[in-house]
Amino acid sequence: MEPPISTNGGKPKGGRPARRWLVRYPRAAPIAIFLITMAIALASVVAIERGMKARHQAQQVKTTALIASALERRAATSSALLRAGAALFATQGEIPEAQFRTYVRQLTQDNGFRGADGIGWAKQIRTEELAAFEARISAEQSRAFAVTPRPQEGTDVLVPVTYLEPDSERNRRASGFDMYSEPIRRAAMDAAADTRLATASGPVLLRQEGDQPEPGFLIYLPVFRSDERGGGLKGFVYSPFNAEEFVLSALELEGSGQYGVNLYDPAAHNLRVASIAVSDGTTGPSTEQEVII
């Protein structure tokens, strides 16, 4: 008996469908290989980008923590200088301007005023003491000294900028300014007096800036008479800060100049507990962290 006649080129019926498909469509194989290769490459790129984004985010979080720490160290250094200055005023009576400036220069000869505009003394006075106070400071400084703005009717307490070291033209713009007349500064001074802790104000425009709208803030430390711990507030040792200079001085500590930092106050009244938002200048999200100033 003769074998059956084949109708598919001598191959038995029931050959592999894939092989028949490739014979019918010979160009499909390279296209399929190309598509598979592209899919693998695309998946690899997505995985790499996700990994890079995760590493970048982790690095930014780490950098944010370092910057926050640097800001806190910078503020702590300033507070330590204020505490030393407060000790001088707490243990003595009236401090002449020359003695104050000599003391501050010795105090800051190693650290300077990194990030700050200096160290100042603001004496608390009663309204009825104003004329005698202005006459005494004018005699000390050998130039006219006047408290501004002038007290309005009903004003009992003034806290004018009495001394501010270094004695620069920039700092002289603040001389005599009654800081207690401005709500944000007053709130910070009241909080400092209540807690007996160094307290940073909310954002303000420093008198030193003149017409330049550059934000700043101040750190106040209250000074009480050493024999009247329960009362007897003498005034405040304080430091004014240009916000940008303060942040840049902290960035220098960590070599993080390529990052942008936004220092802000969530409570909108003082910077005792503030926050920072750090970004690297890209369109990516910023990272935030709380800062104790």
Side-chain angles (χ1 to χ4, degrees):
M1 184 176 181
E2 294 183 2
I5 298 174
S6 174
T7 60
N8 59 354
K11 295 180 181 180
K13 290 182 178 180
R16 296 180 179 178
R19 185 175 298 175
R20 292 201 305 271
W21 188 82
L22 290 175
V23 171
R24 184 176 299 178
Y25 304 104
R27 296 181 180 179
I31 294 175
I33 294 172
F34 172 77
L35 292 176
I36 293 172
T37 303
M38 288 298 295
I40 294 173
L42 182 60
S44 300
V45 169
V46 171
I48 292 172
E49 286 185 348
R50 286 180 178 175
M52 291 178 63
K53 184 178 292 186
R55 287 192 296 272
H56 174 77
Q57 188 68 14
Q59 179 60 42
Q60 188 161 303
V61 169
K62 179 181 178 181
T63 300
T64 302
L66 291 174
I67 292 173
S69 177
L71 288 170
E72 290 178 346
R73 291 201 306 274
R74 185 64 77 202
T77 299
S78 298
S79 296
L81 293 175
L82 294 181
R83 282 192 291 273
L88 172 68
F89 284 95
T91 56
Q92 299 189 34
E94 296 294 342
I95 304 296
E97 181 185 37
Q99 182 180 351
F100 170 78
R101 296 197 183 283
T102 299
Y103 181 78
V104 171
R105 288 167 188 167
Q106 293 176 344
L107 192 65
T108 59
Q109 61 184 352
D110 293 330
N111 296 311
F113 300 103
R114 299 282 294 177
D117 277 336
I119 295 178
W121 166 244
K123 180 177 174 60
Q124 177 178 278
I125 61 173
R126 309 292 298 183
T127 305
E128 58 267 23
E129 301 170 329
L130 178 58
F133 173 75
E134 290 177 326
R136 180 175 69 82
I137 302 302
S138 294
E140 280 187 2
Q141 298 180 350
S142 300
R143 62 177 183 269
F145 176 91
V147 173
T148 56
R150 305 307 289 179
Q152 298 180 352
E153 185 177 353
T155 299
D156 295 325
V157 175
L158 301 89
V159 186
V161 176
T162 309
Y163 310 136
L164 185 54
E165 176 65 23
D167 184 22
S168 62
E169 181 179 352
R170 172 181 168 82
N171 278 341
R172 286 187 182 184
R173 295 173 186 163
S175 181
F177 174 61
D178 177 21
M179 294 187 287
Y180 208 65
S181 67
E182 194 277 313
I184 296 177
R185 291 173 172 85
R186 182 171 63 248
M189 285 187 278
D190 287 343
D194 289 342
T195 62
R196 291 177 167 78
L197 296 173
T199 302
S201 75
V204 298
L205 293 179
L206 299 176
R207 301 286 288 189
Q208 288 92 326
E209 303 296 352
D211 297 330
Q212 300 299 318
E214 296 185 10
F217 65 95
L218 306 100
I219 296 180
Y220 294 100
L221 185 66
V223 177
F224 295 87
R225 295 179 179 85
S226 59
D227 58 344
E228 297 180 47
R229 185 57 182 172
L233 178 66
K234 295 181 68 175
F236 297 86
V237 178
Y238 76 100
S239 280
F241 296 82
N242 176 288
E244 182 177 1
E245 292 299 325
F246 174 71
V247 171
L248 289 176
S249 71
L251 291 176
E252 290 174 1
L253 293 177
E254 298 299 335
S256 303
Q258 72 272 24
Y259 285 87
V261 180
N262 179 30
L263 176 68
Y264 62 97
D265 171 24
H269 57 80
N270 69 65
L271 291 175
R272 180 64 186 166
V273 179
S275 296
I276 58 171
V278 177
S279 64
D280 61 358
T282 67
T283 57
S286 61
T287 53
E288 298 187 10
Q289 182 162 327
E290 193 173 87
V291 182
I292 306 296
I293 297 181

